[in-house]
Amino acid sequence: MATIKWAIDPTHSEIGFKVKHMMFTNVSGKFLTFDATIETENESFENAKINFTGAVASVNTSNADRDKHLQSADFFDAEQFPEIAFQATSFTQKSGSDYELVGDLSLHGVTKPITLAADFGGIMQDPWGNTKVAFALEGKISRKDWGLTWNSALETGGVLVSDEVRLAIELQFVKQ
């Protein structure tokens, strides 16, 4: 059976995250520069080979000073670790459009397994004749697991930046 290759459609995809700030509100961000591919044996996507890379320097939280701090050695250290990478180890259909994506996330010089819930949006043809597929992914990671430990204690108790990072990812791919 022939392998089907899918390339990311970056204009219809978003790699987003949220982190609690001062323990009571969320700061949202995203990576603006990224690439991803999928290889499948059929259009069920079961056990698809999924790879992702993102440029750390493209982090954007709509605040230039905060983005610069996130790129610094206090957080991502974009100069030493310029790329985030993910490689799937399994992609399993749970029921209907619900899938589970398991893989290795490499960030800040550390590689660890993560599990994400995936919602398969379906396959359709766009108005220009391209075959597209869409997925919405979500999950949580502990930033400390990747050595991202910078924080500041608050006078009222607690910390400035939560350890938990919630991932919210919307992906659209084009059949090659």
Side-chain angles (χ1 to χ4, degrees):
M1 184 175 285
T3 299
I4 301 170
K5 294 184 179 187
W6 301 82
I8 192 77
D9 177 349
T11 60
H12 297 105
S13 299
E14 185 172 285
I15 311 302
F17 61 89
K18 288 185 180 185
V19 179
K20 285 266 188 214
H21 178 254
M22 294 181 50
M23 301 183 63
F24 76 106
T25 189
N26 288 307
V27 170
S28 298
K30 58 187 171 182
F31 292 92
L32 301 177
T33 304
F34 53 87
D35 191 24
T37 60
I38 299 177
E39 290 186 16
T40 63
E41 294 301 321
N42 55 51
E43 292 186 352
S44 79
F45 290 88
E46 193 88 35
N47 294 315
K49 292 180 185 175
I50 303 169
N51 293 291
F52 164 84
T53 57
V56 170
S58 75
V59 68
N60 184 313
T61 63
S62 299
N63 180 294
D65 290 337
R66 180 174 43 231
D67 296 345
K68 186 175 178 181
H69 191 204
L70 288 172
Q71 293 171 27
S72 78
D74 283 347
F75 285 96
F76 290 118
D77 197 354
E79 189 173 310
Q80 185 174 351
F81 306 106
E83 189 174 85
I84 296 171
F86 175 83
Q87 184 170 359
T89 55
S90 72
F91 191 61
T92 310
Q93 186 176 17
K94 294 300 182 183
S95 68
S97 66
D98 295 330
Y99 283 72
E100 180 180 78
L101 176 60
V102 178
D104 294 322
L105 177 65
S106 298
L107 166 65
H108 200 248
V110 177
T111 301
K112 291 192 171 281
I114 65 169
T115 301
L116 301 171
D119 180 50
F120 175 54
I123 298 174
M124 68 180 341
Q125 199 165 50
D126 71 14
W128 301 274
N130 300 302
T131 302
K132 302 266 189 119
V133 63
F135 295 96
L137 307 172
E138 58 183 39
K140 296 177 186 177
I141 62 171
S142 164
R143 64 187 182 91
K144 291 179 184 174
D145 287 348
W146 280 268
L148 301 172
T149 59
W150 183 92
N151 224 326
S152 181
L154 298 174
E155 224 176 81
T156 56
V159 291
L160 188 63
V161 182
S162 171
D163 176 45
E164 181 181 274
V165 179
R166 287 178 282 147
L167 305 174
I169 302 166
E170 296 288 334
L171 301 172
Q172 193 175 114
F173 290 85
V174 181
K175 189 175 187 179
Q176 301 300 289

